[in-house]
Amino acid sequence: MAGTKKATGTAAAPKKAASTAAHPSYQDMIKEAILQLKDRGGSSRQAIKKHLLANHPSVTNVSENAFTTQLNKALQRGTDSGVFLRPKGPRC
């Protein structure tokens, strides 16, 4: 007769709630930057990035690569959903 395994008393550890960021969402920060920069033809990605780093000190705690990735993803998601427009078209 094959032995059956009994469940031991070790239960999975309860999951922690995801930590909330100390800053608003990247999309909200980008909207704020575009409004404050007031460029007629649209704000460049470099200008938005510089504005975020200057006005949101909490994003400086993130590595440069992670910040750039999150910024680019937020810009792309905002463009795809229609929140942001690219007046000069997509860049290659």
Side-chain angles (χ1 to χ4, degrees), residues 26-91:
Y26 278 86
Q27 209 168 49
D28 291 339
M29 291 189 295
I30 292 169
K31 282 184 209 175
E32 175 190 327
I34 292 170
L35 292 174
Q36 288 184 2
L37 290 171
K38 297 180 184 175
D39 291 333
R40 251 183 100 153
S43 301
S44 68
R45 190 188 72 78
Q46 290 85 1
I48 293 170
K49 183 176 179 179
K50 185 176 178 181
H51 184 274
L52 293 183
L53 289 172
N55 294 316
H56 293 281
S58 59
V59 297
T60 58
N61 299 335
V62 181
S63 72
E64 180 71 23
N65 290 337
F67 174 71
T68 302
T69 301
Q70 290 296 326
L71 177 68
N72 290 338
K73 283 183 179 181
L75 286 168
Q76 187 62 46
R77 273 190 245 116
T79 302
D80 291 345
S81 65
V83 175
F84 306 130
L85 296 176
R86 296 197 179 196
K88 297 177 184 175
R91 305 287 183 198

